[in-house]
Amino acid sequence: MAPAPDVIFRTLADPTRRALFERLCREGEITVGALTAQAGVSQPVVSRHLGVLKQAGLVRDRHEGRQTHYRALPGALAPLIDWTSEMASFWDGRFDALENLLDRMDQ
């Protein structure tokens, strides 16, 4: 089941989590160690953020030996994309109505 838009917004509102998610989207599967090397925060902090991303359904982990690999699940953003598309359509309609009103007022 896809996460609700509010869960996705809340999860990605944190800049560290958003940066980790973006990196996983760009680079594919990455170990926690490799993510930590460029995150600018400690490994426990990276692991905590990855846990939040996993709980939101935005990443999946895979254990191999002593290492844990993470990969992004971009499809989990579908509810967010649907919501933003709906809002864009709503506001397009409102601006069209305003433009029509202004045109009638000019006549």
Side-chain angles (χ1 to χ4, degrees):
M1 183 172 163
D6 60 335
V7 172
I8 299 169
F9 277 123
R10 189 173 36 250
T11 301
L12 294 176
D14 183 278
T16 301
R17 281 197 290 272
R18 195 169 51 252
L20 290 169
F21 183 73
E22 288 172 3
R23 185 164 174 215
L24 289 167
C25 286
R26 279 193 305 274
E27 298 180 24
E29 190 174 272
I30 305 173
T31 64
V32 174
L35 285 166
T36 301
Q38 295 184 2
V41 292
S42 67
Q43 186 273 321
V45 171
V46 168
S47 292
R48 183 168 41 89
H49 284 298
L50 288 169
V52 174
L53 288 165
K54 182 180 172 184
Q55 192 170 20
L58 293 167
V59 299
R60 180 169 291 157
D61 63 351
R62 178 178 65 83
H63 300 280
E64 184 177 305
R66 298 178 62 174
Q67 294 193 330
T68 304
H69 301 252
Y70 279 86
R71 66 181 172 94
L73 299 173
L77 296 175
L80 187 69
I81 293 166
D82 292 345
W83 184 84
T84 54
S85 295
E86 185 178 317
M87 289 295 100
S89 177
F90 169 78
W91 284 108
D92 283 345
R94 300 294 281 197
F95 286 125
D96 287 346
L98 177 61
E99 188 175 347
N100 288 337
L101 175 65
L102 294 173
D103 285 346
R104 285 191 310 240
M105 291 175 68
D106 284 343
Q107 295 174 358

